[in-house]
Amino acid sequence: GRHNAGAARPGQLALGMVTDVGGLGDKSFNDSAYRGLVNAQNSLGANIQVLQSRSASDYQPNLTALSEKHLDMIYAIGFLMNKDLDQISKQYPQQHYAIIDAVVDDPNVVSATFKEEDGSFLAGALAALVSKSHHIAFLGGQDIPLLRKFEVGYIAGAHQIDPATKVDVKWVGSFEDVAAGQELANVLFNGGADIVYAAAGKAGIGAIDAVKTRQNAFVIGVDSDQDSMAPGKILTSMVKHVDVAVFDIAQAIQQKKALKGHLIFGLKDNGVGLTDFKYTSAVIGRSNIERVDAIRQDIISGKITPPSTPQGLVTWKPVKL
Amino acid sequence: MHGIRKVYPGVIAVDGVDLDLLPGEIHALVGENGAGKSTLANIAFGAVKPDGGTVEAAGTVGLVHQHFELVGRLRVWHNIMLGREPRKGTVVDVDRARSRVAELAERNGLAIDPDALVEELPIGVQQRVELLRELEREPSVLLLDEPTAALAPAEIATLFATVVQLAKRGTAILVVTHKLQEVIDYTTRVSVMRHGKIVARYETADTSVDEIARAMVGGELPQVAQREPTGAAPCFAARDVSAASDTTTVSGLSFEVHAGEIVGIAGVEGNGQTALADAIAGMIPYTGSIELDGDSTALRHRNNIGIVPQDRHHEGLVLNWSIVENAILGRQNLPGIRKGALTDWRAARADAAAIVERFDVRAASLDVAVKMLSGGNQQKLLVGRALIGDPRFVLAYQPTRGIDVGAAALVQSRLIEARNRGSAILLISFELDEILAIADRVLVMYRGKITGSFTGSEIDRGKIGRLMAGLS
Amino acid sequence: MKVVLRLLAGPAGALLLAFVLAAVAMLIAGVNPVDGFSALIRGSLGGRRPIAETLVQTTALLFPALGISLAFRAGLFNIGAEGQLLMGGLFAGAVGAHLAGPSWLTVAALLLLGMLGGGIWGGIAGWLRARFNASEIISTLMLNFIALSLAGYLVAGPLKSPLASGAETAPLLPNNWLPAFPTIGSLSFGDTRLTISILIAIATAIVLRFVFTRTVFGYELRAAGEAPEAARRSGINMPRMTLIALSLSGAVAGLGGAAIVTGVLHRFNTSLSPGYGYTAIAVALVGDLNPLWVCVAALGFGILEAGGLMMQADAGVPKDAIRVIEGLIILVLAARRYFATRASSAPI
Amino acid sequence: MSTGVSLMLTLAFLTLIKSVPIVYAALGGVISERAGVVNIGLEGMMTAGAFSAVVFTNLTGSPIVGLIAGIFFGAFLGFILGFAATFFKVDQIVAGVGINLVALGGAAYGLVLIFNQPGASPQVNQLAPEQLLPQITVGETALIVLGLLCAFGLNWFIYRTPWGLRVQACGENPRAVTDAGLDPLRLRLYSVIASGALAGLGGAFLSICEVNLYSDGMTAGRGFIALAAVIFGRWTPWGATGAAVFFGFFEALQYVLQGRISWLPSDAMQALPYLAALFAIAGLVGRVRAPAADGVPY
Ligand SMILES: Nc1ncnc2c1ncn2[C@@H]1O[C@H](COP(=O)(O)OP(=O)(O)OP(=O)(O)O)[C@@H](O)[C@H]1O
Ligand SMILES: Nc1ncnc2c1ncn2[C@@H]1O[C@H](COP(=O)(O)OP(=O)(O)OP(=O)(O)O)[C@@H](O)[C@H]1O
Ligand SMILES: [Mg+2]
Ligand SMILES: [Mg+2]
């Protein structure tokens, strides 16, 4: 098997991971987490095992199966596993666990969450700065609370630059339907938006496809660095470094460092952030890049607090700087 | 065919039969229901594999099934020309197909609309389609399994005229039938089957209806029961009923059936019998009123009534079910059968046993699926179900269709016995003889209207025949 | 020799073929079939916990399969068990997060709510068919998608748990959890996910069988399915039968959804089912629509599902290869009737 | 161009594009069911078509080869279902469910085996990606036209040619076909193979024409929608095509309307095609009847 290197040798770091129903290949946090795991395999010499889940009722047996193997760390990828992990971690108090995107308050669990709204805020600000039509768009996968953090952060960021910027929002209704992602991106572009922030898993690939043949139009990628998928057409990617979180935790375990119960990954530690505009710096321009960086500092310093829920967005006002 | 043998679970359907068909002969195959005629015909055709024996045929073999094998949702011409469609380039030459069918029908005296949808045709007309389909292929051996069961007398005559013509041209013909007069009138030889064996074979010229019938049943024919006088209490009443079914309409029908009376509806098929029967059964909407003892809902609720439907396979039976299960269909809510929410299967089984016993249904057991029964035995089951428990009112549509002579006499007797015990019986039949034999009163139907009514001594075969033909 | 041949032509041959195909699939996946199969058996039957997991999966398939059987028996092609299951779970989950009271009462209430949810969903299709003669194949299928949208909307919005960052309802109060499977002698299932829902499912099967074979309603339902025209002519109110049959069918599937929510997940979310409602169609048909055989078929599929997880964990067979193996086994099972008739008519 | 006009255009083109894959699969459903085989496996056949088209395009660089491969592998699954349904007399629905599992699982696993990456394939050459109109590429146009031709051709085949009439008879009463000296099993087998080929083509449209990669779950239930379209269209080629366009239209409509009606949640919008279908079938009064022997092994 590809993911299962067999039993760990004595002394070797043994890591396990349970994906959520999105599974490997989601081009989102499952993939990103897997990258972190592979990094651990390569640079820490870890032995890794991955179990994929087909439905919510698979989480528990999968977590149990790994727990029975007494690994050094078991990662539960995705907020949907929080209840199950809570239960399993109590059953195996000696076992260490980590969960991504949710908080489980048990002594043997490390929770890692990300400030997606902060990164998305930067993406929105950048889009508002670059947009010629003052009209940008957000394309979401499924309308779930986690994705709403991306949406509202993005809108707030745009409004921070120019409250008159129009932001269209559409949802694919799926993270898989690439064709639908493409057509919806087309609809958004044809509707006048010139930048689409595609936070839609695999369906986002469709948006990247849609932008390739268009002039003066851009997509902002998400989760991983997608900039090279259509060089020059992807303004930037709002990366969410689940891989970094996974790797950091593995490293801490190996070095027997104590871990905090809840790790929050934000802009400061590069847990979230924009890529380095490798292909697009010319289009964006120096001054815009500097403005975005200034906003980044303001968020880190606490001057700006991007909203993370639709309710928060309603009461949120652009911050006078 | 030599030493043909076919065993089904529980029955030896065909048991060592030898049969030669000579070119140019019309060979009749007769026998009781379940004797094995259809099985033998199907073996000759090649549709059923025999367990023993050999079949040899010079040339092609055609079979006219009694339970037709037609494609209901296609048109007549297509059914007849299936597999032999005339072409114009790569497409079907519809005009040629149509005219071919029209010509074939014309030549054989079987009127048909080549463009009609088969499923919308009455059973008698479907029979013609099935026949024409085989005639079109001009097989060198033609097997006809009860081809006349659903035909009117005039059609039977034209059919046999065709058959005789075919024989003259050298076709070998086997006719399975229960109408012994046809045997005498048209065939050259006759084989009698009983319990899977050929028990007698005659040159038709040397034999008689009686002799064949005796050979069939292995003794004397049962006598039809006597009618006894009954009081004439009104029971069933139709008033000014108008209705339309798929193929026929009726308008302004009014008549009564008294308790202890058999009223026969005489008429050529297609004159509204189906619409009338469907309206009475509550299967189609109608205007006017239909009442049983003054209650217009009684019929709909199936309380105490018995119905013999027209098409036993689709309307009457659940083919995959056992005799027991079928015996209570339509009666499942009667007090004796239904106990609270439950079915009293013991009572159902007793009823089934009673039907099988009283109507001489021949089956390996009460638990065999009715699709395993021969056609005539299925029909007997259907009639038995309608009559069991002496219902107040019985609607019998062609009750003896496909039933052998002995069994037909039995069924007629059972109808008369039910009448004698006070049932009101409405008999719809295309066989005038049957109506004349058992009806107390005869109504003639023509083009959806009742054109004549005859009671007791007024009943006059000639007058009725003329009215049936639309003459006055 | 002849006996062996005969066995090979029979169901044993079908199973053997299934195993050979599965082995080939494993070899392609780079897995030693011996490891694969032993993981399958260990994961499904190899001890108390695996057996419990097998029964959890069996239960999840059994309810929708029984619901489907009921509809199919009435001649109604219900392919909407997935949506009905979801609605049942949704109803139970939405209320279960808040319902307080004596446990036996609230659990029973939630199960009934699940039946109500599924029943409404089936009933809509039944009503459309009865009233407008609208094909239940289309409507039940469409209702699957609509259920998913509706549930997705509700859990992301109005029913969203304030605790969860994801799309799901708040956790069920513990008094609303289905009780664990009773201890048999020294065998306790308290620490597994096995609850009394398997007993409820089996009881449902027995009731259904009783309804089919003993009651007048069951008789009429089967008549409607076997020979609709004959049934109509025997006085059965077909539209009413359609409505009732599809509602009941949905209710049974919905009960399954509620059982998953109250017994396994203890909350509702939209990834409740990996497609149980679709696989259950195969389960119902493989079980010949006979409730007791459907139980057996569900057990077989449950073994595959539970064993499949272990194949992934221990033998490293990827989950997609497991799906292929399941599909192959279903294909071969579908052909079992052919093998069975061959066996009975094969010359010896 | 005013926004209104451009919106209408967007809607029109999107309708066409969203309909095409469903049209192909639905036509496949028509031919198979007309011959008496219920094809629940359409979804799997689309998946096979979509996946193999990408694999072969990747292998050869030619999307035309990919398209042909898509048709071929769809037809191959059709062959399996057809063979199982005719010569093995299996329950067609069970077999269809099995085929779906094998295809969906097989494609997902194939991604790992062939491209060594789960979830989605790398991008491959797209079939004629040149933009014809702002909305629509040359490849899409070609396959839209071909789809219409297929509908036209199937209609002609079923109602005009002798073989089509025989296929119809097969779905109604295979015994009558046997009696006519023909082999209904063979006719059924061929029909299901054709069905798979059409569904495969529909899948290939999704993967190498509309976009340029295969991603797990990208058929997103379209095979089942096609099945509904077959019934909706009363088992006729034009009816099924019309029903497919109906679904395509409402899918397109929800794309366009989303976000424009602020009080309607996006989930309600996504349910639009299905809700529309529910209302439509309720309004479709009259008898809708499957071929008499549809689904019955012979
Ligand atoms: N497929 C079958 N399975 C089991 N038994 C059968 C089957 N076909 C026929 N039989 C039995 O074989 C016997 C002969 O049936 P067959 O249909 O040949 O009778 P028949 O002479 O044509 O009767 P009828 O005059 O009623 O048509 C009957 O007892 C019937 O029940
Ligand atoms: N729907 C059916 N399903 C299965 N077997 C059937 C069915 N209909 C008829 N049969 C079988 O075929 C045999 C012959 O049919 P049956 O005796 O009922 O008809 P028939 O009037 O004698 O003429 P035919 O030979 O044209 O069918 C029956 O004994 C029965 O076993
Ligand atoms: Mg017969
Ligand atoms: Mg007969």
Side-chain angles (χ1 to χ4, degrees), chain B residues 33 37-38 66-67 145-146 176 178 312 374-377 402-403:
Chain B
N33 296 128
K37 306 178 296 292
S38 294
Q66 191 196 355
H67 293 137
D145 194 352
E146 300 190 34
V176 179
H178 292 299
R312 58 181 169 242
S374 77
N377 282 308
I403 294 188

Side-chain angles (χ1 to χ4, degrees), chain C residues 11-58:
Chain C
L15 266 181
L16 195 69
L17 181 60
F19 277 112
V20 170
L21 288 174
V24 171
M26 287 181 210
L27 282 174
I28 294 176
V31 173
N32 180 346
V34 176
D35 294 348
F37 283 122
S38 80
L40 178 83
I41 299 300
R42 251 182 304 125
S44 56
L45 302 168
R48 197 176 51 90
R49 271 175 173 284
I51 289 176
E53 276 305 316
T54 296
L55 293 179
V56 167
Q57 298 289 343
T58 301

Side-chain angles (χ1 to χ4, degrees), chain A residues 62-83:
Chain A
N62 277 341
L63 288 169
T64 307
L66 290 183
S67 302
E68 291 287 340
K69 297 187 172 180
H70 309 294
L71 307 177
D72 294 310
M73 175 55 80
I74 295 169
Y75 297 92
I77 309 303
F79 50 84
L80 286 173
M81 251 173 280
N82 64 341
K83 280 273 308 162

Side-chain angles (χ1 to χ4, degrees), chain A residues 124-192:
Chain A
L126 178 70
L129 287 169
V130 172
S131 173
K132 297 256 182 323
S133 57
H134 303 286
H135 186 171
I136 61 175
F138 174 83
L139 179 61
Q142 254 166 353
D143 183 357
I144 54 174
L146 179 70
L147 269 285
R148 283 294 178 108
K149 286 162 90 178
F150 289 81
E151 180 205 353
V152 299
Y154 181 67
I155 295 175
H159 288 172
Q160 172 70 36
I161 298 299
D162 173 7
T165 306
K166 194 171 166 208
V167 188
D168 284 345
V169 175
K170 287 191 196 280
W171 299 90
V172 182
S174 136
F175 291 106
E176 275 99 44
D177 197 335
V178 188
Q182 176 183 317
E183 306 303 356
L184 276 165
N186 276 327
V187 171
L188 288 168
F189 284 127
N190 292 334

Side-chain angles (χ1 to χ4, degrees), chain B residues 43-255:
Chain B
I43 289 171
F45 179 55
V48 170
K49 262 210 211 94
D51 296 327
T54 53
V55 183
E56 286 162 37
T60 55
V61 182
L63 171 65
V64 169
H65 304 262
Q66 191 196 355
H67 293 137
F68 324 125
E69 295 297 343
L70 296 172
V71 185
R73 262 196 276 174
L74 293 177
R75 305 196 179 275
V76 168
W77 67 258
H78 178 205
N79 268 277
I80 293 173
M81 303 305 296
L82 183 63
R84 304 159 54 87
E85 308 85 355
R87 291 185 201 171
K88 191 168 57 188
T90 48
V91 302
V92 176
D93 187 342
V94 181
D95 290 335
R96 206 135 59 83
R98 222 181 252 143
S99 60
R100 176 103 185 81
V101 169
E103 176 214 339
L104 193 71
E106 167 87 55
R107 175 147 50 84
N108 293 296
L110 297 165
I112 197 101
D113 169 9
D115 279 325
L117 272 183
V118 166
E119 67 182 354
E120 287 174 0
L121 297 174
I123 287 215
V125 185
Q126 291 190 9
Q127 175 77 72
R128 287 180 221 159
V129 179
E130 175 91 13
L131 242 166
L132 286 170
R133 190 179 69 168
E134 294 310 321
L135 293 181
E136 203 279 336
R137 283 160 215 213
E138 299 180 350
S140 34
V141 179
L142 179 59
L143 314 166
L144 303 161
D145 194 352
E146 300 190 34
T148 59
L151 293 189
E155 291 177 311
I156 293 177
T158 49
L159 164 70
F160 272 103
T162 305
V163 170
V164 169
Q165 282 298 319
L166 278 177
K168 280 208 181 112
R169 277 184 261 144
T171 311
I173 292 163
L174 180 77
V175 184
V176 179
T177 182
H178 292 299
K179 297 179 179 170
L180 299 185
Q181 194 57 47
E182 291 170 3
V183 175
I184 300 296
D185 292 347
Y186 302 109
T187 66
T188 44
R189 281 198 297 168
V190 46
S191 293
V192 182
M193 266 187 104
R194 244 178 96 67
H195 300 312
K197 293 195 170 71
I198 303 270
V199 292
R201 184 166 287 155
Y202 308 103
E203 297 291 325
T204 309
D206 303 341
T207 187
S208 66
V209 168
D210 278 353
E211 190 182 10
I212 299 172
R214 276 199 301 276
M216 267 176 63
V217 301
E220 292 300 318
L221 278 184
Q223 290 297 304
V224 175
Q226 291 296 308
R227 272 181 284 187
E228 289 160 15
T230 53
C235 171
F236 171 90
R239 276 185 254 289
D240 199 24
V241 172
S242 299
S245 74
D246 285 351
T247 50
T248 58
T249 55
V250 291
S251 55
L253 297 189
S254 294
F255 61 91

Side-chain angles (χ1 to χ4, degrees), chain A residues 170-171 182-183 190 212, chain D residues 123 135 210-211 255 258:
Chain A
K170 287 191 196 280
W171 299 90
Q182 176 183 317
E183 306 303 356
N190 292 334
K212 279 184 184 162
Chain D
Q123 306 200 349
Q135 306 285 330
E210 192 176 355
V211 297
Y255 287 178
Q258 250 197 59

Side-chain angles (χ1 to χ4, degrees), chain C:
Chain C
M1 190 62 209
K2 279 171 183 166
V3 177
V4 174
L5 275 179
R6 190 168 186 157
L7 268 176
L8 278 182
L15 266 181
L16 195 69
L17 181 60
F19 277 112
V20 170
L21 288 174
V24 171
M26 287 181 210
L27 282 174
I28 294 176
V31 173
N32 180 346
V34 176
D35 294 348
F37 283 122
S38 80
L40 178 83
I41 299 300
R42 251 182 304 125
S44 56
L45 302 168
R48 197 176 51 90
R49 271 175 173 284
I51 289 176
E53 276 305 316
T54 296
L55 293 179
V56 167
Q57 298 289 343
T58 301
T59 314
L61 284 167
L62 187 48
F63 281 113
L66 289 172
I68 289 166
S69 306
L70 189 147
F72 277 29
R73 275 296 185 95
L76 296 163
F77 202 84
N78 175 13
I79 47 178
E82 182 77 6
Q84 292 146 12
L85 187 89
L86 209 61
M87 290 310 288
L90 179 65
F91 271 48
V95 176
H98 312 290
L99 193 63
S103 181
W104 62 271
L105 190 66
T106 55
V107 169
L110 291 183
L111 293 179
L112 283 176
L113 267 172
M115 294 182 73
L116 181 68
I120 290 175
W121 228 234
I124 293 174
W127 179 75
L128 287 170
R129 167 78 194 256
R131 177 78 178 74
F132 302 104
N133 203 18
S135 160
E136 77 282 0
I137 306 182
I138 302 185
S139 57
T140 52
L141 183 64
M142 296 302 118
L143 283 163
N144 284 348
F145 294 107
I146 295 171
L148 205 55
S149 287
L150 179 62
Y153 165 69
L154 289 176
V155 293
L159 294 179
K160 184 177 109 63
S161 155
L163 303 173
S165 49
E168 55 185 20
T169 65
L172 255 59
L173 302 176
N175 66 310
N176 293 329
W177 294 10
L178 264 178
F181 194 83
T183 304
I184 315 171
S186 61
L187 205 59
S188 154
F189 291 92
D191 56 342
T192 70
R193 300 199 293 172
L194 186 61
T195 64
I196 60 166
S197 66
I198 179 74
L199 301 178
I200 300 174
I202 291 171
T204 308
I206 293 170
V207 168
L208 273 189
R209 190 187 145 77
F210 183 81
V211 167
F212 288 158
T213 58
R214 302 296 304 281
T215 67
V216 176
F217 169 72
Y219 176 86
E220 295 192 339
L221 181 135
R222 288 186 297 126
E226 285 276 357
E229 184 59 20
R232 194 171 77 90
R233 286 182 176 266
S234 76
I236 295 168
N237 183 336
M238 294 293 278
R240 195 169 142 252
M241 181 56 78
T242 302
L243 178 61
I244 295 177
L246 276 174
S247 303
L248 283 181
S249 169
V252 175
L255 178 58
I260 294 178
V261 165
T262 55
V264 180
L265 292 184
H266 302 144
R267 67 198 186 276
F268 171 82
N269 69 40
T270 48
S271 46
L272 175 82
S273 156
Y276 290 132
Y278 295 106
T279 311
I281 298 174
V283 176
L285 289 169
V286 166
D288 273 341
L289 308 183
N290 175 336
L292 302 187
W293 283 116
V294 170
C295 291
V296 177
L299 180 64
F301 280 76
I303 289 174
L304 276 180
E305 293 274 328
L309 286 183
M310 189 59 79
M311 279 164 80
Q312 199 192 169
D314 271 16
V317 184
K319 73 167 181 175
D320 299 311
I322 293 167
R323 265 209 285 188
V324 175
I325 292 171
E326 279 184 5
L328 289 173
I329 290 178
I330 289 177
L331 271 173
V332 175
L333 277 178
R336 86 199 184 293
R337 242 188 236 111
Y338 168 82
F339 285 106
T341 50
R342 276 293 293 269
S344 64
S345 65
I348 300 184

